Amino acid sequence: MLTATVAGVAAVAATVPEARAAERKASRPGWATSWATAQTAPTSADTVAAAGLTDGVCTATVRLSAGGRVRLRYGHAFGTVPVLVGPVTAGGRAVTFGGRRQAWLAAGSSLTSDPVDGLRAPDGSALTVETRLPGPTGPLSFHRNTHASHSVDGARTTSVFLLTGVEVTGAHGPVVAVLGDSVAEGVGTPDDADLRWPDQLARRLPGSTVANLGISGNRLLLDDARFGPGGQARFDRDVLSLPGLRTVLVQLGVNDLQQPPAQTDASVVLAGYRQLVLRARSAGLRTVGATITPFEGWTRWTREADEVRQRINRAVRTGHLFDAVADFDAALRDPARPSRLRPAFDSGDGLHPTPSGHAALAGAVDRRHL
């Protein structure tokens, strides 16, 4: 009897991994975020977003990574009143929300559309989304500079209002979110060229989705009225809310070292990374940490800040903080002077890389780590 019982237990145990794998596969979401942007609150300098719109039309043209069936996601993270959204078109086709052409976007919340009837987007395609906001909306949550051309009532802007994601069904490669700063956002690359390093990474990985959650000026630890909540504060909303996500790549830290009040204790930054990793792993996500790139030549560079940067990078490379490392520092640094960017990779300010520098960053991400 004992032998039979042990054999039965062994048989059950042998099937548990397979059963769990099958359960994960069965429950795997069919949607993944092919284009995304992270929101901030408007300041008084952001005249359109701060004033809001009445019967306004926002048009955004976004570059998808993977394609397939399409649905849209709107957010109003910093709103104080609900906003009526719609009618909306995507790729010239009508978008509905629960079968209706209009829907209310609650303050501080998100709104996901129905799959867009008849629309299948190719991998790597550009999708134009036109959103009417009957208003008056009040101040609008937005992304200030996507380094791409959009419009509000026909006037060009590089900002995107309320639209936070385009989700697709055709991902058959890595599903990645980039929690980053101005380098991920695309500073140093020309508008409308799609040469930001997350764009170039997506092109290296056919069928992948890469959600670019970079915000210029963003920090890991501290919030800022203009540059938004820090990476720790926005992680749950911007990263964990994405459907189908498998991996998060963290590229934050340089602004903590050089923006006042500057962080001079490497251990505090490393503790911030650990917290992100714990939260990601609790959600079943893999983490990749990027080393902090050189920035000598930037207006607030100091030797002391560079020493902190190097201490952080040594710990990231050797401390097993993340599941994997993308060594952005090694990809961009000048061998003759490691505290600065290679001249060919310096866009001119000492901090932000050129398009070829962005290509080097994309090349520093190992597909096997995703």
Side-chain angles (χ1 to χ4, degrees):
M1 181 64 70
L2 179 61
T3 302
T5 301
V6 171
V9 170
V12 171
T15 64
V16 166
E18 290 85 356
R20 287 178 176 169
E23 182 180 350
R24 284 195 300 269
K25 184 175 181 179
S27 64
R28 182 173 296 174
W31 295 94
T33 303
S34 186
W35 173 89
T37 195
Q39 294 183 329
T40 59
T43 67
S44 58
D46 304 305
T47 53
V48 174
L53 297 171
T54 299
D55 197 27
V57 177
C58 301
T59 302
T61 299
V62 303
R63 180 68 61 182
L64 305 183
S65 37
R69 298 188 70 196
V70 170
R71 69 183 186 187
L72 309 180
R73 187 176 189 184
Y74 290 85
H76 201 8
F78 303 95
T80 57
V81 296
V83 174
L84 184 61
V85 174
V88 176
T89 63
R93 296 180 179 272
V95 177
T96 58
F97 305 86
R100 299 177 179 272
R101 293 300 311 278
Q102 291 182 309
W104 286 99
L105 169 59
S109 187
S110 64
L111 173 68
T112 301
S113 78
D114 303 327
V116 181
D117 190 33
L119 178 60
R120 292 193 70 89
D123 289 2
S125 59
L127 179 70
T128 298
V129 177
E130 185 176 281
T131 305
R132 182 171 292 276
L133 300 174
T137 63
L140 294 168
S141 305
F142 79 132
H143 187 99
R144 184 171 291 108
N145 189 359
T146 64
H147 301 278
S149 296
H150 316 289
S151 68
V152 176
D153 292 336
R156 181 184 182 273
T157 178
T158 58
S159 300
V160 169
F161 303 85
L162 298 185
L163 182 68
T164 58
V166 177
E167 299 169 1
V168 301
T169 57
H172 52 88
V175 179
V176 183
V178 175
L179 185 70
D181 52 31
S182 57
V183 176
E185 186 192 69
V187 176
T189 67
D191 288 353
D192 303 314
D194 300 316
L195 292 175
R196 316 163 194 84
W197 73 259
D199 296 321
Q200 300 198 51
L201 175 63
R203 287 195 288 273
R204 284 184 52 231
L205 306 172
S208 66
T209 63
V210 180
N212 187 344
L213 305 173
I215 299 177
S216 186
N218 202 231
R219 299 167 69 132
L220 172 68
L221 302 172
L222 298 182
D223 302 344
D224 184 273
R226 182 166 178 81
F227 303 134
Q232 289 197 87
R234 67 187 180 98
F235 187 77
D236 291 15
R237 180 184 65 242
D238 288 352
V239 176
L240 297 187
S241 64
L242 299 181
L245 189 62
R246 294 289 174 268
T247 303
V248 56
L249 192 155
V250 179
Q251 187 245 299
L252 288 171
V254 68
N255 292 319
D256 295 81
L257 305 185
Q258 57 88 18
Q259 286 179 3
Q263 179 55 249
T264 59
D265 186 345
S267 68
V268 176
V269 175
L270 295 171
Y273 288 154
R274 287 190 187 95
Q275 287 301 309
L276 292 186
V277 170
L278 285 171
R279 288 154 71 186
R281 287 176 177 166
S282 294
L285 301 181
R286 184 172 178 79
T287 61
V288 178
T291 52
I292 301 174
T293 53
F295 62 103
E296 183 180 358
W298 179 249
T299 180
R300 288 189 291 269
W301 181 88
T302 64
R303 292 186 184 278
E304 292 74 19
D306 195 66
E307 290 171 0
V308 177
R309 180 184 71 88
Q310 293 187 48
R311 287 198 292 273
I312 293 169
N313 286 349
R314 282 195 294 271
V316 168
R317 290 187 185 105
T318 63
H320 306 293
L321 284 171
F322 297 93
D323 296 310
V325 175
D327 201 341
F328 282 8
D329 172 41
L332 294 190
R333 69 189 178 210
D334 185 348
R337 189 162 183 166
S339 58
R340 68 183 180 190
L341 302 173
R342 289 176 180 263
F345 292 163
D346 186 352
S347 66
D349 62 13
L351 174 60
H352 299 103
T354 59
S356 60
H358 279 261
L361 295 180
V365 181
D366 190 331
R367 181 191 178 102
R368 293 171 298 178
H369 296 161
L370 302 179

